[in-house]
Amino acid sequence: MTKKSSKKTAASPADAGDKTAQGICHLVGAGPGDPGLLTLKGRECLEQAEVVVYDYLSNAELLSHVPAGAEIIYAGKTAGRHALRQEETNALLVKHTAAGKRVVRLKGGDPFLFGRGGEEAQELAAAGLRFEIVPGVTSAIGGLAYAGIPVTHRASNAVLTIFTGHEEPGKETSGIDYKAIATAPGTKVMLMGVERLGPITEQLAAAGMPEGTPVALVRWATTGRHQTLTGTLGTIAALALEKEFKAPAIAVFGDVVKLRETLNWFESSPLFGKRIAVTRTRQQAGGLLAQLRGMGADAYELPTIRIEPPAEKTAFVEALADVRTYDWIVFTSPNGVEAFFNAFFAAHEDARDLGGARIAVIGNGTARKVREYRFAVDLIPKEFVAESLLEEFKEMNVEHLKMLLPRAAGAREMLAVELEKLGAIVDDVPVYRTVPETGDVSGGIRRFREEGADMITFTSASTADHFMALNLPLPKGLATASIGPVTSEEMRKLGLPVDLEAPQHDIPGLVQAISTFYASSK
Ligand code: SAH
């Protein structure tokens, strides 16, 4: 375990000898939604969690940091509906922590701002259990930053008031002093309460806030669904009704809203607002998702395939035993590289056992994978397709050379057949197979059904095959993106259109093509 866990916190029970003292609950701020806004400490807690209790506003994608086998519990609430009552959540945290587990309570934004994190910590303290707080980026500040609104600015204000709109204004028991808020200087930020915007803005105006005060509402801030609506204290409630601007949203009142005109960086990203479904395996989707999101897209995982060992392993085992005898190893996909080297290093302790084989790859992504294992690539064709690689081999004499082709079970054999025609001795060996991803592991299938997508990306023929097998309804206007000709051919065979094909057949090439596609359609 890390340094952290051996350190006693102020909340540690006095009787450290107690068995329950092994258990610990981390109240972790998940940030406002962009998965990149989780802290390093928060990620470390997730990576070591045995139980995770998360809620509606903490991005479920963060659960990919949680080890397989951990228990994951959704305690989510949506406005007006409580999935788990607060007492039930508290009891869950106490129960698992007392059982000696490493528990993470993942909460949207910062755990100590209007999220009842304080109450949960109190319950743990009362039960004599260990807990730690991992602060997070709050939507009240970070969320507005993504809308180009700094909550303070030297020229406009030096005071910031954050309040909750959760309570009905005018309610006798309301703890909120609208008069004090309306007359306080500086920026006011309201969390919760967009549903009560009408009465709240009336109350603020009646209490002395000028009708012309600039106001912005930001919903699903920092996520791909991020949206901003601006107006004034006098107009915003009607505008929100008209545009059906719903929770979760932050409201900000004050002159800082005007700074958006020049600071609105996120909403002007090239792919902002484009909803893109990525069909790669969960393990592989990360890079493409991150690049698309970096350009502002609402990109989400829709994994259609999973990588597994081949059903028939004999050929692979034999090839590994004879691996020193090959003149060439030809990799046609990053998955093949991974499956090959993982098995190789499981069987051999010395990298030199690979012998003197030269290494050829089809494309950049595959080459990068080979280099990750600290092997150099000797041959990479100009175009990232098998035909181009074959041309390269034609130019050298490969007669009687022994070649190993570690590849997917059931992949096309053109390369092996053609290399044999050139006189090579080819072992065409399945080292992995792609199987359909069963179950909606990332929630992407539900999103695709409910919200659709502007674009879907296919990075191999098998992602397209398995996507079609899911039989999902295709949303109107859906654009399709393909990584290269083999994938495009398969898509057409399946009856899918090909709206764009990456001229360079790798992930950066695909991202570039998507960006060009939208730039030219603007
Ligand atoms: N602890 C959280 C706030 C919890 S209260 C934080 O620090 O951000 C829940 C309210 O937070 C929501 O009703 C909404 O007003 C706001 N909120 C949280 N995440 C948001 C997001 N991504 N976009 C807009 N509002 C958000």
Side-chain angles (χ1 to χ4, degrees):
M1 260 318 308
T2 59
K3 300 162 250 156
K4 198 169 58 198
S5 64
S6 56
K7 188 181 69 189
K8 282 188 65 189
T9 66
S12 297
D15 54 336
D18 190 348
K19 283 271 174 290
T20 65
Q22 288 169 11
I24 184 163
C25 182
H26 285 99
L27 284 107
V28 175
D34 177 343
L37 294 178
L38 175 73
T39 64
L40 292 175
K41 190 162 177 179
R43 186 170 85 181
E44 197 179 290
C45 291
L46 286 174
E47 284 167 352
Q48 289 159 4
E50 294 167 296
V51 179
V52 178
V53 182
Y54 74 106
D55 66 19
Y56 176 60
L57 287 173
S58 48
N59 191 335
E61 250 176 61
L62 297 179
L63 299 175
S64 63
H65 298 302
V66 177
E71 185 179 349
I72 293 178
I73 304 165
Y74 180 62
K77 319 165 209 222
T78 56
R81 203 196 93 221
H82 290 240
L84 273 192
R85 279 183 296 118
Q86 187 64 42
E87 307 81 79
E88 292 173 309
T89 304
N90 295 349
L92 259 182
L93 299 180
V94 167
K95 181 181 98 179
H96 289 290
T97 312
K101 294 281 169 58
R102 301 189 59 84
V103 181
V104 169
R105 171 68 173 121
L106 192 61
K107 299 179 76 72
D110 182 275
F112 272 4
L113 188 73
F114 298 142
R116 307 183 73 164
E119 281 167 63
E120 293 172 5
Q122 279 177 318
E123 288 286 327
L124 292 157
L129 297 167
R130 288 175 66 208
F131 65 89
E132 289 185 4
I133 311 301
V134 182
V137 174
T138 177
S139 62
I141 299 176
L144 296 177
Y146 271 51
I149 303 171
V151 288
T152 69
H153 189 266
R154 207 175 138 81
S156 8
N157 71 303
V159 179
L160 168 65
T161 306
I162 301 178
F163 68 104
T164 165
H166 192 52
E167 297 178 30
E168 208 60 57
K171 193 175 73 176
E172 300 248 314
T173 52
S174 171
I176 297 183
D177 183 346
Y178 280 93
K179 178 131 192 80
I181 295 169
T183 52
T187 307
K188 287 96 190 180
V189 174
M190 182 182 79
L191 298 190
M192 304 182 269
V194 269
E195 306 82 3
R196 283 175 289 277
L197 211 54
I200 290 171
T201 49
E202 277 168 27
Q203 189 91 10
L204 288 171
M209 188 185 278
E211 293 267 343
T213 308
V215 181
L217 302 180
V218 189
R219 70 187 300 258
W220 284 118
T222 79
T223 72
R225 292 186 263 176
H226 173 114
Q227 250 184 329
T228 304
L229 182 67
T230 51
T232 62
L233 184 67
T235 62
I236 197 73
L239 281 172
L241 262 185
E242 183 192 320
K243 306 262 188 230
E244 296 185 36
F245 207 88
K246 299 222 171 82
I250 318 149
V252 53
F253 308 79
D255 283 338
V256 286
V257 170
K258 291 191 212 143
L259 295 168
R260 235 174 91 73
E261 285 163 24
T262 45
L263 302 184
N264 191 9
W265 60 279
F266 180 60
E267 293 167 29
S268 38
S269 332
L271 297 180
F272 178 74
K274 301 288 177 234
R275 192 172 292 161
I276 305 179
V278 169
T279 60
R280 307 195 96 189
T281 65
R282 288 214 85 183
Q283 292 67 31
Q284 293 176 314
L288 179 52
L289 283 171
Q291 289 186 46
L292 294 173
R293 285 178 185 154
M295 300 173 90
D298 179 10
Y300 65 94
E301 287 176 47
L302 178 63
T304 59
I305 53 167
R306 205 153 28 106
I307 304 301
E308 294 210 333
E312 175 50 56
K313 297 191 194 70
T314 324
F316 190 13
V317 172
E318 282 170 6
L320 278 175
D322 293 343
V323 70
R324 298 185 70 102
T325 64
Y326 292 102
D327 299 292
W328 281 96
I329 304 179
V330 183
F331 291 108
T332 51
S333 75
N335 288 324
V337 176
E338 214 166 276
F340 175 82
F341 281 114
N342 288 350
F344 172 78
F345 283 115
H348 300 268
E349 293 205 334
D350 187 344
R352 288 171 296 185
D353 289 346
L354 194 74
R358 277 178 288 170
I359 295 179
V361 299
I362 279 196
N364 261 341
T366 311
R368 223 173 291 126
K369 238 324 156 259
V370 169
R371 294 186 194 113
E372 273 176 30
Y373 289 91
R374 294 282 183 273
F375 285 91
V377 171
D378 302 284
L379 177 62
I380 175 164
K382 280 184 213 74
E383 279 176 53
F384 301 159
V385 287
E387 289 77 1
S388 183
L389 184 62
L390 198 63
E391 286 306 313
E392 302 273 350
F393 277 126
K394 267 185 195 156
E395 289 182 12
M396 48 183 108
N397 183 5
V398 294
E399 213 178 337
H400 304 310
L401 293 189
K402 245 190 115 178
M403 295 192 163
L404 175 63
L405 265 70
R407 55 147 181 100
R412 64 191 195 133
E413 283 148 29
M414 181 283 276
L415 190 57
V417 173
E418 295 301 319
L419 284 170
E420 272 169 358
K421 283 190 196 153
L422 299 179
I425 305 153
V426 180
D427 283 341
D428 191 18
V429 176
V431 297
Y432 70 96
R433 65 187 169 133
T434 48
V435 298
E437 180 62 89
T438 42
D440 192 9
V441 280
S442 64
I445 293 183
R446 183 185 47 78
R447 268 200 84 179
F448 193 81
R449 267 187 213 285
E450 289 176 6
E451 302 168 22
D454 297 305
M455 178 178 277
I456 186 163
T457 64
F458 296 105
T459 47
S460 66
S462 59
T463 56
D465 283 342
H466 293 298
F467 170 75
M468 289 309 271
L470 289 173
N471 251 322
L472 294 171
L474 297 187
K476 237 179 93 200
L478 178 75
T480 53
S482 153
I483 199 163
V486 179
T487 304
S488 303
E489 194 188 311
E490 186 68 13
M491 286 163 68
R492 289 192 188 98
K493 241 191 252 164
L494 293 163
L496 279 168
V498 180
D499 294 307
L500 73 87
E501 180 182 295
Q504 182 187 305
H505 315 316
D506 58 8
I507 296 299
L510 182 59
V511 172
Q512 184 56 48
I514 293 173
S515 152
T516 312
F517 178 83
Y518 282 117
S520 59
S521 68
K522 256 183 195 158

